[in-house]
Amino acid sequence: MHISKAWTSFLLFAYLSQVIPMASAADIVIDANGKFFNQSIFETLDIIGLKQCVRECQSRDDCKAVNYKRDDLQCQLLWTSASNSSELQIDDKYQYITMESQTTVLKNCTSCKDRLTVRFSSGQEYCVANTCPVNYRMNKTLKFCYLAVENRDYDFTTGMAYCRNIGSRLAVLPTIDYHWYMVEEYQSNMLENHRYRVGGFFNVTLGKWQWIDGSLVFDRINRTLTRVTDDREELAWHDGDILKDFSTGNTDCMLCERII
């Protein structure tokens, strides 16, 4: 007998309502009921509770907010949050939640230490090695694991989606040491191109250049050493210029980073 996804979601919701006290979601601060943010969705998780949705976001460096769709038990992870309420869309099925509004950091499994925690729907957890895949390149000193995507088909949004779909993110290069490592890779013919899209963009709300993990680009890199001349749009790594700004919507090859 075929059971629809909607019916499965309903049965799971009914079960959770019985076995988990309703107060269990009291730790969650809801920014907006009946609204959602339709930009910067980088991952969607299905059949998941509200508390676990927030926990999943808190466990990712580049997650700033979530849309939670109650009827479908669906969690949308966002790499930016809305700058004001006017950016939110109206839909009664959603709850919008930012991580900066939370007063509690939901606990994750700590027994795995530097390994990856995998959770069954039953709540049981186990650990797996979180290693750099064989087709990636790894710098053990920097703990930087990357894959160069050499075709030039991706803009910022599609690049984010591609990296996410292979378990990675657009690369974050937080210090000058990462630049010199990439220069060595290029000079050793490990890279085919001298310029690659990375996970940096100009945050109009903050008025500053920001990495997708929320850190500021020029907190640890001297901007005068780069070729970032305008305060707008997106970033590329460049072998001779360290970082370079280029226009939103342009497609280019890119660096995907696996978090280790």
Side-chain angles (χ1 to χ4, degrees), residues 119-134:
R119 294 178 182 83
F120 292 118
S121 57
S122 64
Q124 184 179 0
E125 299 172 331
Y126 70 97
C127 305
V128 296
N130 192 18
T131 57
C132 192
V134 293

Side-chain angles (χ1 to χ4, degrees), residues 65-172:
V66 301
N67 298 319
Y68 186 69
K69 196 174 184 181
R70 291 165 293 187
D71 290 357
D72 295 336
L73 301 179
Q74 186 184 81
C75 175
Q76 298 172 348
L77 305 181
L78 312 171
W79 62 271
T80 59
S81 56
S83 57
N84 57 70
S85 60
S86 65
E87 295 181 342
L88 300 178
Q89 307 297 310
I90 297 174
D91 190 323
D92 289 341
K93 296 178 181 178
Y94 281 93
Q95 293 172 307
Y96 173 70
I97 303 156
T98 64
M99 296 307 103
E100 67 177 358
S101 296
Q102 303 312 304
T103 58
T104 302
V105 176
L106 301 178
K107 293 182 179 179
N108 283 313
C109 171
T110 57
S111 60
C112 291
K113 295 184 180 179
D114 294 329
R115 293 178 292 167
L116 180 66
T117 303
V118 177
R119 294 178 182 83
F120 292 118
S121 57
S122 64
Q124 184 179 0
E125 299 172 331
Y126 70 97
C127 305
V128 296
N130 192 18
T131 57
C132 192
V134 293
N135 59 327
Y136 284 59
R137 296 281 297 167
M138 175 70 180
N139 182 303
K140 292 183 178 179
T141 301
L142 297 174
K143 292 185 178 180
F144 181 62
C145 169
Y146 83 91
L147 174 71
V149 181
E150 300 292 354
N151 64 65
R152 298 176 181 271
D153 296 337
Y154 300 98
D155 61 18
F156 191 85
T157 301
T158 57
M160 284 274 290
Y162 178 88
C163 293
R164 181 185 70 245
N165 288 337
I166 60 173
S168 304
R169 68 180 183 185
L170 277 175
V172 172

